[in-house]
Amino acid sequence: MTVITYIQHDGSERMVDADAGLSLMETALKHDIPGIDADCGGGAICGTCHCFVEVSGELPAPDPQETAMLGLRPDRAENSRLACQIVISAGMSDVTVRLPEFQM
Ligand code: FES
């Protein structure tokens, strides 16, 4: 079972069991975890699910649309991702998701 730890900007955190097939964004919404707005519902066109992802192992690289959206973030970091674009797969290692101070 993959465990996702969501860490808010204020340092508070919650750990949840992930369901394979759901994205990091969908998992956050399912568990009422704040900090991800997801205005576009997962279409990679709003950027309001930006987060900083830490995982042991490799994640699929962001596609051009995700890269373009991340480019609009002034707080973009090397591990910035759109939570809607990372889908939990069976056997995936645990993931830490740090939420930004704000979504835009
Ligand atoms: S929910 Fe809109 S970009 Fe992720």
Side-chain angles (χ1 to χ4, degrees):
M1 174 70 73
T2 302
V3 174
I4 305 176
T5 303
Y6 292 91
I7 304 177
Q8 301 296 318
H9 191 260
D10 67 4
S12 61
E13 62 181 70
R14 275 189 52 203
M15 300 172 74
V16 300
D17 292 335
D19 297 326
L22 293 185
S23 69
L24 296 178
M25 175 275 278
E26 291 168 324
T27 303
L29 296 184
K30 176 181 176 182
H31 294 279
D32 295 321
I33 291 171
I36 293 178
D37 296 342
D39 291 343
C40 76
I45 57 172
C46 72
T48 63
C49 65
H50 174 233
C51 60
F52 308 100
V53 178
E54 299 165 17
V55 62
S56 63
E58 299 265 327
L59 289 174
D63 68 13
Q65 175 62 28
E66 182 179 0
T67 300
M69 293 307 303
L70 291 171
L72 301 175
R73 293 290 309 203
D75 54 350
R76 182 180 186 181
E78 197 170 304
N79 62 342
S80 284
R81 297 300 300 260
L82 296 179
C84 69
Q85 298 302 298
I86 299 177
V87 176
I88 304 300
S89 56
M92 188 173 177
S93 59
D94 294 347
V95 182
T96 298
V97 178
R98 296 182 185 276
L99 284 311
E101 183 174 10
F102 59 88
Q103 296 290 353
M104 53 178 282

